[in-house]
Amino acid sequence: MKKISQNILLLAMVSSCNMGQFTNIQSTHSKYSLDIIYDQTVPTLIKQSLDMTLKEDKNNDEEAILSLKNFQMKRTNIYAGNYLRSLETEITSSIEVLIILDDKEINKTLMNTKRFNSMELNALAEMEMNVFVKQEIFNAIVQDILFEVNLLDL
């Protein structure tokens, strides 16, 4: 009985995972060169990270296109309690990703949200926390994009 309840709990946890469906493109070529197209809204840090990571030779006969556009970052202060200041700050970012390979398209919007405590008495510490969280969001977006590109190799 205990093993059955553990299996049901495991099944419920796996089935309620908030992961979208993977899209697999069957390519006729095993190697492809990736051409990355950026919109004006994509930050320089994301561009540099992707260029360093996805730099491949252009001698392959198949070309895949990775298009990044409409990067948005929104900051929201969360107020609660008796204080006149915000207790937490939430930074939400999103970017649209389009991958084209063999006349097939994968179009996704990647989103990332980070929250942090904003009840700092030191204004410099709060500014540094903002910079740190933005850097973490950029890294998370780059990791999500690399994950989507690596799905092409499956």
Side-chain angles (χ1 to χ4, degrees):
M1 185 69 175
K2 185 176 180 182
K3 187 168 181 124
I4 292 173
S5 63
Q6 288 175 346
N7 288 339
I8 291 174
L9 180 64
L10 179 66
L11 181 64
M13 290 173 56
V14 170
S15 66
S16 65
C17 183
N18 194 14
M19 181 69 80
Q21 181 179 0
F22 296 126
T23 305
N24 188 7
I25 293 181
Q26 299 295 330
S27 176
T28 57
H29 304 281
S30 62
K31 282 290 187 179
Y32 53 87
S33 62
L34 190 63
D35 187 22
I36 306 173
I37 300 170
Y38 299 107
D39 191 3
Q40 299 173 6
T41 59
V42 179
T44 307
L45 290 172
I46 293 177
K47 290 179 187 178
Q48 290 172 348
S49 296
L50 289 175
D51 285 341
M52 287 185 346
T53 308
L54 297 175
K55 186 182 279 186
E56 295 183 15
D57 57 350
K58 298 285 185 180
N59 297 331
N60 297 326
D61 43 335
E62 182 69 20
E63 182 175 313
I65 298 173
L66 172 65
S67 174
L68 304 173
K69 59 183 177 179
N70 294 336
F71 178 81
Q72 296 177 355
M73 186 175 285
K74 187 175 82 169
R75 178 184 169 157
T76 306
N77 291 324
I78 300 169
Y79 297 93
N82 298 330
Y83 301 107
L84 296 176
R85 298 183 56 178
S86 66
L87 293 178
E88 288 185 336
T89 300
E90 179 180 82
I91 298 179
T92 304
S93 65
S94 66
I95 190 167
E96 292 180 20
V97 177
L98 174 67
I99 301 173
I100 302 172
L101 179 64
D102 286 341
D103 298 330
K104 296 179 184 173
E105 294 183 2
I106 300 174
N107 194 3
K108 292 189 176 185
T109 300
L110 302 177
M111 297 186 73
N112 199 319
T113 302
K114 301 281 184 194
R115 263 190 183 184
F116 62 95
N117 186 6
S118 62
M119 280 295 293
E120 289 288 338
L121 296 177
N122 185 353
L124 182 60
E126 188 173 340
M127 288 176 18
E128 287 299 317
M129 185 58 121
N130 277 331
V131 171
F132 175 74
V133 170
K134 285 181 183 179
Q135 183 67 37
E136 288 293 313
I137 285 178
F138 291 159
N139 290 340
I141 286 177
V142 168
Q143 292 300 319
D144 290 345
I145 292 170
L146 291 176
F147 182 74
E148 293 295 329
V149 169
N150 287 331
L151 282 177
L152 294 176
D153 294 333
L154 294 179

